[in-house]
Amino acid sequence: MHHHKPCPVNAKFWTPGVIVLSVLMGVAFITIAARFIGGLGYVTNLSTARPWGLWIGIDVGSGVALAAGGFTTAALAHILGRHYYEPVVRPAILTAALGYTFVVLGLIVDIGRSWAIWKPMFFWNTNSVLFEVAMCVMFYLTVLYIEFFPIVAERFKGNVNFKGFLSNFNGLIDRIITVIDKMLGKIMWVFIIAGVVLSCMHQSSLGSLMLIAPTKLHPLWYTPILPLLFLTSAIALGYPMVVFETTIATSSLKLDSEMEILTPLTKITIWLLGLYGALKLGDMFYRGTYVYLLDGTYQTNSFLAEVLLGVIIPWFILLSKKLRSSRKWLFAASTLIVGGVVLNRINVFIVGYQPPVSKTAYFPSIGEIAVTVGLISTLMFIYRLAVTWLPVLNVQVKEVSDEK
Amino acid sequence: MELNRRGFFKVMGATSALLSAGMGKARAAWVSKAPPDPYGCLVDLTRCVGCRKCEEACNDANSLPPPDIPFDDPVVFETDRRPDEKTYTIVNRHSSGKIDDRDKLVPVFTKVQCMHCQDPACVSACIAGALTKKENGTVHYDAGRCIGCRYCMVACPFEIPAYEYTNPITPKVQKCTFCFDRIIREGGKPACVAVCPVEAITFGKRNILLVLAKNKISDLPAKYIQHIYGEHEAGGTSWMYISDTPFEKLGFTKVIPEPIPRLSETVQHSLFSYLWSPALLYGLLGGIMWTTNKAKNKDKGGSDASS
């Protein structure tokens, strides 16, 4: 018999994969240094006509969506009381906390006056969708750290072990952690609900961002229900993202595949993805934008890829119980859904954005790609570090009787 | 993560208070925030001779860096230019398609700068209120509040705000200032208007300029096309144009006649006035959580061991 319990993972840390991540991080670091010496124009292809590029499309737009596993699993396990899904909440919260941290880091690189990032807290413009998104992201990041605290506390409670001079404080720090953890445990429900509410607010508002550009965003994407589409796609993406990362983590760290949790979890996705797909197609027919579908432009092809590969095909895969129970097929379907939502965000922020005067084409520069790749690598590096040191993932713990 | 009875009712109480406040506000329709009697400029494209004195005066008045090509060199007309981070206004040469009595193509010169919209998308978009619409019509930029997110540039339907992409630490959004410091003075005019030798630009109250434009068009209906660009574009702009050549042929952007921020602001305020919908969702989720926890405690007869 095995039973499951979140534990630090006991695996070799400096694997070839981790070394590759470190190199990519180094390249990004150099590029970011260049951006802060030579300006945004030195490393990016941004222009007057194209003020937002890869960093907003992927680091921010997609980053926020991909972190949706955090609030969707928390809602399922803690609010709807499906405690069966508890084991996937911790890694999802970790991914979300890291994801949002990197959204903020990405923004710090992207905005021209990085040092002024605090200003919207004091200079409010409540008409600005971006203002609301920024406030929600700020509060939600705080909530995520609070939700992650018990995991840190579990690791260090009764186990604070500084060496040398700091050892004098071991007892004190231990007591502080214990007290905060106990207090948090009583009021954690406040933060869990707040996390879901804040997520719903800014996941949808991320779509409202482009409502200010009716003459610039391609009609295939410009719709008054853009915020609703962003929200439903983020919710639909939550569990597939959990499958995606759990499968990668458990296979690279050689842990149990968790299929007995992932298969029923994605059964819910049939409904959620179906709702998103129905809204998206319904909106297309209602507004008559299907007339663009066969015009062969790269915008239209990108839209078709997003809907066919990212929604319709994975939806049919998930529909089959047999395929859903197969680790490979489930991973394939989840990867398609994740890719589809990322492509949707890229489409809305980059591909579908048409400068009205200059008609300038945009393709990200090497520097932009290096920073985006490097930030994702750093995120994966820290994830790897966190699961090595903290009780995040479910590690098979053998019963005493199994041991010799 | 215990949600007890008292906590639950506190949440519900706060929810209903916010709900009643928010839903009332949310029902109110979108209202334009345009100033009632702003200044404006009327450009009569049939008068402009392409001397670029306005460019030079603008450069001087705003202490901008010297131009790459001198202001008296007509070679600039070979390419279509746009205002950029060093140039707030430019004059382009287009062809009217007409031929004069010496068989030469008649050029049309167009001056391009910030339109100073009545309900500006950039002002609505700005995360920190660095852009504001002033009572005198100016769309004003305050670098002290700017964080450099460039959402104003995404929002602008005329593709006007430019950015100092080569400044690593303190880049600014750059665009026509409507010579704010000059026009707040009695009798003050924008530098470009004051310098124009052929009076192609008329500065005055927008409402009066509109009457003037309509009179000009109705006095010479054969000369002018029946369109005042800027009267309705983007809900109306402070800068307006009349022309003898269709605006589409002169590089003018086709812009919808509604104020650009209307939809986004309507969505935003009907959802988030007094945070009524987040409060409702919070109460709803709190209710569900309370119910499921109660049911579970009954099943187990114990307290909720939460993580």
Side-chain angles (χ1 to χ4, degrees):
Chain A
M1 249 328 267
H2 299 109
H3 71 262
H4 288 73
K5 181 173 174 298
C7 284
V9 173
N10 187 14
K12 191 171 165 239
F13 186 79
W14 288 103
T15 57
V18 175
I19 293 167
V20 171
L21 290 182
S22 318
V23 173
L24 294 174
M25 283 156 65
V27 175
F29 184 80
I30 294 166
T31 318
I32 291 172
R35 174 256 175 268
F36 282 107
I37 293 166
L40 281 167
Y42 188 52
V43 292
T44 70
N45 282 345
L46 299 175
S47 61
T48 303
R50 288 290 193 160
W52 282 1
L54 186 74
W55 293 345
I56 295 295
I58 300 229
D59 306 14
V60 179
S62 307
V64 167
L66 294 184
F71 85 96
T72 47
T73 52
L76 185 67
H78 295 152
I79 294 178
L80 297 175
R82 305 288 195 82
H83 295 275
Y84 179 72
Y85 297 107
E86 205 76 62
V88 293
V89 178
R90 280 192 174 192
I93 297 281
L94 172 63
T95 317
L98 287 176
Y100 276 86
T101 305
F102 280 85
V103 165
V104 175
L105 290 180
L107 274 174
I108 287 174
V109 180
D110 183 83
I111 65 170
R113 298 174 162 231
S114 313
W115 49 271
I117 196 166
W118 53 273
K119 285 189 174 174
M121 283 195 277
F122 298 96
F123 303 121
W124 291 16
N125 177 13
T126 52
N127 289 324
S128 170
V129 180
L130 191 60
F131 170 75
E132 187 229 317
V133 172
M135 291 299 115
C136 284
V137 167
M138 190 180 80
F139 284 118
Y140 186 46
L141 186 57
T142 314
V143 165
L144 280 168
Y145 286 152
I146 292 171
E147 288 184 339
F148 195 69
F149 184 82
I151 302 172
V152 180
E154 188 180 310
R155 167 74 174 74
F156 291 106
K157 247 190 302 188
N159 199 13
V160 180
N161 213 354
F162 286 115
K163 299 280 184 311
F165 167 71
L166 284 172
S167 63
N168 295 322
F169 298 101
N170 282 349
L172 181 67
I173 293 171
D174 198 337
R175 224 169 311 144
I176 292 173
I177 292 178
T178 311
V179 169
I180 295 177
D181 190 42
K182 203 174 163 203
M183 268 169 27
L184 272 183
K186 289 211 174 103
I187 54 163
M188 192 52 95
W189 65 271
V190 173
F191 298 107
I192 288 170
I193 305 177
V196 176
V197 172
L198 287 166
S199 292
C200 287
M201 286 172 78
H202 71 270
Q203 291 283 4
S204 60
S205 294
L206 218 51
S208 307
L209 275 182
M210 295 312 285
L211 292 184
I212 196 78
T215 54
K216 290 176 158 183
L217 185 59
H218 192 287
L220 278 171
W221 293 281
Y222 189 88
T223 160
I225 67 159
L226 199 52
L228 186 62
L229 291 176
F230 264 54
L231 177 64
T232 48
S233 58
I235 293 175
L237 169 75
Y239 304 144
M241 186 62 195
V242 169
V243 173
F244 181 74
E245 61 184 73
T246 304
T247 309
I248 291 177
T250 51
S251 54
S252 64
L253 297 170
K254 304 193 175 47
L255 304 172
D256 184 83
S257 69
E258 307 274 10
M259 282 303 283
E260 74 285 356
I261 294 176
L262 300 183
T263 300
L265 191 62
T266 42
K267 196 178 172 188
I268 310 171
T269 303
I270 299 173
W271 294 100
L272 300 176
L273 188 66
L275 175 68
Y276 167 58
L279 282 171
K280 190 150 178 87
L281 294 178
D283 172 68
M284 186 181 76
F285 285 108
Y286 180 77
R287 290 184 306 115
T289 49
Y290 51 81
V291 295
Y292 297 97
L293 285 187
L294 295 173
D295 67 7
T297 60
Y298 86 106
Q299 276 102 348
T300 300
N301 293 338
S302 201
F303 179 86
L304 286 173
E306 173 199 326
V307 175
L308 287 176
L309 296 174
V311 182
I312 295 176
I313 293 174
W315 189 74
F316 277 106
I317 298 177
L318 289 185
L319 219 48
S320 148
K321 180 147 196 294
K322 199 176 143 215
L323 296 184
R324 235 185 310 129
S325 312
S326 143
R327 196 177 184 208
K328 276 188 187 137
W329 279 102
L330 188 66
F331 181 70
S334 301
T335 309
L336 284 174
I337 296 169
V338 170
V341 174
V342 171
L343 183 57
N344 171 259
R345 301 311 192 249
I346 292 173
N347 283 342
V348 169
F349 290 114
I350 304 173
V351 175
Y353 185 84
Q354 300 169 308
V357 184
S358 309
K359 317 276 183 211
T360 319
Y362 163 85
F363 194 82
S365 67
I366 301 284
E368 287 174 85
I369 296 169
V371 170
T372 294
V373 170
L375 286 180
I376 296 170
S377 302
T378 317
L379 190 155
M380 290 168 72
F381 186 88
I382 297 176
Y383 182 95
R384 184 71 177 74
L385 213 59
V387 299
T388 307
W389 291 99
L390 298 170
V392 174
L393 292 178
N394 276 307
V395 176
Q396 280 177 329
V397 181
K398 288 185 177 174
E399 296 279 316
V400 182
S401 58
D402 279 0
E403 289 175 8
K404 58 175 181 187
Chain B
M1 178 212 328
E2 269 171 80
L3 174 51
N4 59 24
R5 178 180 277 267
R6 194 197 290 168
F8 173 66
F9 283 114
K10 261 188 215 158
V11 170
M12 283 316 219
T15 305
S16 45
L18 279 167
L19 266 185
S20 44
M23 287 176 105
K25 176 86 183 287
R27 265 199 299 273
W30 183 84
V31 186
S32 165
K33 289 175 277 294
D37 194 21
Y39 282 113
C41 282
L42 178 67
V43 186
D44 186 340
L45 294 180
T46 64
R47 298 187 72 104
C48 180
V49 293
C51 68
R52 298 178 64 215
K53 289 275 183 243
C54 53
E55 287 188 34
E56 189 170 9
C58 173
N59 179 283
D60 188 47
N62 294 294
S63 314
L64 296 170
D68 299 335
I69 303 169
F71 288 114
D72 52 6
D73 190 344
V75 78
V76 292
F77 291 129
E78 300 303 319
T79 49
D80 245 7
R81 295 180 302 149
R82 294 287 301 166
D84 59 31
E85 72 277 14
K86 293 174 189 156
T87 328
Y88 294 167
T89 187
I90 52 99
V91 176
N92 277 333
R93 184 179 65 197
H94 294 269
S95 166
S96 65
K98 295 183 193 110
I99 291 169
D100 67 7
D101 39 10
R102 276 172 296 177
D103 276 356
K104 284 205 161 171
L105 274 171
V106 179
V108 181
F109 295 98
T110 59
K111 181 181 181 300
V112 183
Q113 75 295 306
C114 172
M115 300 290 286
H116 298 275
C117 303
Q118 278 289 73
D119 278 297
C122 58
V123 170
S124 173
C126 181
I127 185 171
L131 286 154
T132 45
K133 177 77 175 172
K134 301 289 185 196
E135 278 303 303
N136 68 12
T138 310
V139 174
H140 186 263
Y141 171 68
D142 172 8
R145 286 188 171 203
C146 179
I147 69 165
C149 67
R150 309 186 298 286
Y151 190 31
C152 52
M153 301 167 69
V154 171
C156 176
F158 299 102
E159 209 182 303
I160 286 297
Y163 201 64
E164 295 181 323
Y165 281 110
T166 49
N167 180 334
I169 307 296
T170 55
K172 291 193 294 287
V173 168
Q174 293 283 58
K175 68 166 199 70
C176 161
T177 59
F178 211 173
C179 285
F180 180 76
D181 296 333
R182 290 163 183 254
I183 67 170
I184 49 170
R185 290 201 304 264
E186 186 67 32
K189 285 179 180 178
C192 56
V193 179
V195 81
C196 183
V198 292
E199 291 178 8
I201 318 169
T202 316
F203 174 76
K205 290 289 185 177
R206 182 178 188 268
N207 296 329
I208 296 168
L209 293 177
L210 261 176
V211 175
L212 175 71
K214 282 173 183 162
N215 286 344
K216 274 189 161 189
I217 292 174
S218 61
D219 285 351
L220 294 167
K223 179 181 180 187
Y224 291 105
I225 56 152
Q226 303 291 312
H227 183 178
I228 304 167
Y229 189 92
E231 182 184 10
H232 299 300
E233 273 73 12
T237 56
S238 275
W239 277 71
M240 294 176 292
Y241 294 79
I242 52 174
S243 164
D244 57 3
T245 310
F247 288 105
E248 312 81 272
K249 290 188 180 169
L250 302 175
F252 283 79
T253 324
K254 197 164 164 49
V255 177
I256 53 170
E258 287 88 40
I260 306 290
R262 177 187 276 169
L263 179 62
S264 68
E265 287 185 5
T266 305
V267 168
Q268 204 64 1
H269 291 305
S270 46
L271 281 179
F272 297 119
S273 278
Y274 296 98
L275 298 175
W276 73 269
S277 69
L280 176 67
L281 184 60
Y282 201 104
L284 214 67
L285 293 174
I288 295 172
M289 196 172 181
W290 187 58
T291 317
T292 53
N293 274 351
K294 210 174 76 165
K296 208 189 66 183
N297 288 349
K298 213 183 256 173
D299 286 351
K300 289 187 180 168
S303 70
D304 176 15
S306 56
S307 58

